[in-house]
Amino acid sequence: MAAGMRWLLVVLVVAACRPASPRRPNVLFIAVDDLRPALGAYGDSIAITPNIDRLARSGVTFLQAQGQQGVCNPARASIMTGRRPDSLRVWDLDTDFRTTVPDVVTLPQFFRQQGYFATVVGKIYHNILPDSLSWSEPEMKIPG
């Protein structure tokens, strides 16, 4: 990741609008950029993170996740589409995956297709233009 970019990437919330059955779960996906796994849930003995640790115990915590590339745009596009940067043809900060692979379905877009409401707080894609196909409402940017 770029050395100058040290910030919380995003909290992506995908919640059911009207669950079809009581078994249909709500989904909370939290992606973090450049913070490393400095959380108690990842074994950090210095970090004091009781709330996120409790959340991690009640859900799924990925312990072997690896970045696809050391540049944020390809890595973010990769995790949100499930495709390698080479498949997306995104290797830099400027390329929009919707330009190179316009029919790709993102994770939140897939949830929307299944009847979920998908929204984002922060910045999940590096792209300057918002990705309206992914979200049920306009992206909420965090100032700063």
Side-chain angles (χ1 to χ4, degrees):
M1 302 296 165
M5 294 182 191
R6 302 273 184 234
W7 38 266
L8 181 63
L9 174 59
V10 72
V11 175
L12 161 66
V13 181
V14 180
C17 288
R18 294 186 194 121
S21 74
R23 291 184 219 140
R24 185 172 173 174
N26 289 332
V27 178
L28 172 65
F29 177 78
I30 301 173
V32 178
D33 187 15
D34 287 346
L35 293 178
R36 300 174 307 281
L39 299 168
Y42 286 102
D44 189 306
S45 60
I46 298 172
I48 301 171
T49 55
N51 294 328
I52 198 77
D53 298 343
R54 189 169 31 260
L55 180 63
R57 283 192 300 275
S58 70
V60 177
T61 303
F62 296 95
L63 301 174
Q64 296 297 320
Q66 304 293 321
Q68 291 285 342
Q69 192 164 330
V71 179
C72 58
N73 186 34
R76 294 175 194 182
S78 178
I79 197 166
M80 296 305 287
T81 63
R83 295 189 180 193
R84 296 181 319 274
D86 287 347
S87 297
L88 292 169
R89 296 185 311 278
V90 175
W91 304 286
D92 58 26
L93 298 177
D94 299 321
T95 306
D96 184 344
F97 67 86
R98 294 284 183 199
T99 302
T100 60
V101 187
D103 295 330
V104 72
V105 176
T106 65
L107 180 62
Q109 186 178 358
F110 174 80
F111 273 94
R112 287 186 68 201
Q113 291 171 348
Q114 307 311 308
Y116 281 79
F117 178 84
T119 191
V120 64
V121 176
K123 178 180 169 187
I124 189 64
Y125 302 114
H126 186 76
N127 307 335
I128 297 167
L129 299 173
D131 185 45
S132 60
L133 295 177
S134 287
W135 311 116
S136 302
E137 62 185 19
E139 298 176 39
M140 291 182 278
K141 302 288 184 190
I142 298 174

